[in-house]
Amino acid sequence: MSDAIKHECGIALLRLKKPLQFYKEKYGSAFYGIQKMYLLMEKQHNRGQDGAGFASIKLNVEPGERYISRIRSNDPQPIQDIFAQINGRINEELLLHPEYQDNIELQKENIPYIGELFLGHVRYGTFGKNNIESVHPFLRQNNWMHRNLIIAGNFNMTNVKELFNSLVELGQHPKQLADTVTVMEKIGHFLDEEVTDLYQECKNNGLSKREASPIIAEKLDLVKILKRASRGWDGGYAMAGLLGHGDSFVFRDPAGIRPAYFYEDDEIVVVASERPVIQTVFNVPFEKVKELTPGNALIIKKNGSVSLNEIITPTEKKACSFERIYFSRGSDAEIYKERKELGKLILPAVLEAIENDTDNTVFSFIPNTAETSFYGMVEAANDFLNQRKNQFILNNRKTLTKEKLEQILSVKIRTEKIAIKDVKLRTFITEDSSRDDLVAHVYDVTYGVIKPTDNLVIIDDSIVRGTTLKKSILKMMDRLIPKRIVVVSSAPQIRYPDCYGIDMAKLEGLVAFQATMALLKERNLYHIVDEVYLKCKAQEDLKDSEVVNFVTEIYAPFTDSEISKKIAELLISDDIKAEVKIIFQSVNDLHIACPKNLGDWYFTGDYPTPGGNRVVNKAFMNFYEGKNARAY
């Protein structure tokens, strides 16, 4: 994606089912779990680079012994930073206490981070807050082992204020108006109630608090707790939690918006945000890694038993299609296939833009996530060229000479690596003109392969704001002096804000919205903007379930191609000499390419939860009223 947007988060949960001595004997180290967690987090670093956190729990420790360890970092290289600190602390303890070297019991008892249950998180700061207090996992502490709660997740709630108020109604005093805090406190409240009820039951049976503790651990009903806590949640989430005594869970939203995958064998249970991460780290085949069912929680009890439990009735599955287009690593077998299909399906529109002149066209891509779609587009272009060759040969088979046949068969689709991501430049100069000059050099180009008679087709995975296209890519492509530049987006036009984890909160930042506003003004249809505002305003006091997304009406007067043409006009500066066309994927073809991830609200306005409609209306009202504020 040429436009940098902060997005998503990644989670990793690992439970070791065997005693630590088992891993020492089989894998050579009692630090097996820590090593695997490093790999699970590092291989998801694409999902978050603003911060990282790690927590571990030791099972079956004696009172007075530390059993929870947590470390967080917002260092520029946060994953490396936390594991360097963990490694340093372990080595320090081993150096100071040589007797720990071969004694697993002493290591577990005295060295932090060594345990059987681990939770990791990599974070992008959706709200721009990158202080250490905003980094997951979050910890809710209590002297009762069962009431200690550690939470981390990939999520965003649309109704944080309502959740906050519900906590106040329960008599709590939340320290922060943030979805992570409110979610953790909501779970914590019902966890406290469950522990209290179980203790009272034990007390009625004549047991002491100490005698009650293991019974509470055994009987604690996480399904009941999550069902009660999640009433009223509106958002996309894959949420992981650890309880101090050793239970753990991963819980996914009922529409399956945010991803989660898991694998279990007789040694481990592991959950991550991406399937190939588990495949690679534990060397397991594709079919062994399961997707967590929407609305369900994977519950791992202290005794190692694992169950999949429905918490909320699943709704129509609307898994985020941006996961397939851009966010998730393309090493997943299904995602790789889907991205290629996105490139294949858009070729007919490309051929129309270049007037079927593949002989005088160079195909390329914006690095790096668009590369797979590029392969699909080129495969389809080769199929088109072969069809032309076959048809020509059939039509001229009686007069075709050997030389002419060889000449025809030698024609190939021309592909080149044109755009090069040069360096991540820091905008340390504050003046706008100087900053723009830096942005213009984020990409470099390969010279000497484009002729003045050539079309240059360059595919990107998506176009959000268009800023880098306008200030960098188009200018660099134009220096090659092509006849025509065709910019291809493997994703449809992004028209609406996202409120489930992607940092696209403001409508006016989206180039498709800007283009539509320009068209409304040009065609004397701007009264639609006023009408939509009044309709949005009239819904402010309605329940979320009653709110309608009226922002779709501003796009209704125009075809996709009209908006695409206007986007091109907005992104072309006066110094661009080549003809420029911009092509977007259709929503229908997106669904064909990614049939399991049908979440498309940022393209269509079809939000999978009621809170989404409120968010988009709020975003539009902020735009109309000139408020530079987030809609959620």
Side-chain angles (χ1 to χ4, degrees), residues 108 158 201 232 241 302 418 448 613:
K108 178 180 173 179
T158 69
E201 182 182 315
K302 178 191 175 184
I418 298 295
N613 290 333

Side-chain angles (χ1 to χ4, degrees), residues 18 75 255 358 480:
K18 305 282 189 181
D75 186 84
T358 54
L480 303 177

Side-chain angles (χ1 to χ4, degrees), residues 351-376:
L351 292 174
E352 183 179 347
I354 63 174
E355 299 166 344
N356 290 338
D357 185 10
T358 54
D359 292 346
N360 293 296
T361 298
V362 172
F363 292 85
S364 194
F365 63 94
I366 303 296
N368 288 312
T369 47
E371 185 174 4
T372 306
S373 293
F374 163 75
Y375 290 141

Side-chain angles (χ1 to χ4, degrees), residues 474-604:
L474 286 175
K475 292 178 184 291
M476 300 298 279
M477 299 297 115
D478 195 56
R479 291 180 186 177
L480 303 177
I481 320 178
K483 177 181 72 174
R484 179 186 292 129
I485 301 171
V486 180
V487 180
V488 183
S489 169
S490 72
Q493 296 167 6
I494 299 169
R495 299 181 173 188
Y496 304 93
D498 183 80
C499 52
Y500 305 117
I502 308 169
D503 191 22
M504 297 190 298
K506 300 176 184 178
L507 273 168
E508 58 268 32
L510 306 177
V511 70
F513 181 80
Q514 297 166 15
T516 304
M517 290 296 104
L519 286 171
L520 289 168
K521 289 178 181 177
E522 286 177 11
R523 302 188 187 181
N524 295 319
L525 294 172
Y526 206 77
H527 61 88
I528 294 175
V529 175
D530 301 320
E531 294 166 2
V532 169
Y533 172 73
L534 293 175
K535 290 179 179 179
C536 293
K537 195 74 175 174
Q539 297 186 106
E540 280 190 301
D541 296 327
L542 297 181
K543 296 178 181 178
D544 282 356
S545 59
E546 299 172 339
V547 175
V548 175
N549 176 8
F550 285 113
V551 183
T552 57
E553 294 181 9
I554 70 167
Y555 296 102
F558 312 113
T559 64
D560 292 356
S561 59
E562 286 176 310
I563 296 174
S564 295
K565 185 177 180 181
K566 179 54 66 174
I567 289 172
E569 290 177 17
L570 293 180
L571 298 183
I572 300 169
S573 55
D574 293 337
D575 56 344
I576 299 290
K577 298 179 178 61
E579 178 190 358
V580 176
K581 294 185 177 183
I582 297 181
I583 296 170
F584 289 88
Q585 187 76 259
S586 72
V587 173
N588 185 59
D589 282 348
L590 168 71
H591 290 167
I592 292 171
C594 307
K596 295 182 181 179
N597 283 54
L598 299 177
D600 60 6
W601 52 93
Y602 16 68
F603 309 127
T604 64

Side-chain angles (χ1 to χ4, degrees), residues 111-130:
I111 302 178
Y113 309 112
I114 297 176
E116 294 90 354
L117 184 56
F118 307 92
L119 178 60
H121 187 267
V122 292
R123 175 181 186 270
Y124 265 121
T126 310
F127 287 85
K129 295 178 181 177
N130 295 327

Side-chain angles (χ1 to χ4, degrees), residues 156 224 377 414:
N156 204 63
K224 178 182 174 183
M377 182 174 64
R414 295 164 61 197

Side-chain angles (χ1 to χ4, degrees), residues 60 80 103 139-140 208 211 283 305 333 471 485 552 570 578 589 603 607 631:
N60 303 314
Q80 290 86 340
N103 191 316
L139 173 61
R140 188 178 192 264
S208 68
E211 290 170 331
N283 190 28
S305 65
K471 294 181 178 179
I485 301 171
T552 57
L570 293 180
D589 282 348
F603 309 127
Y607 286 87

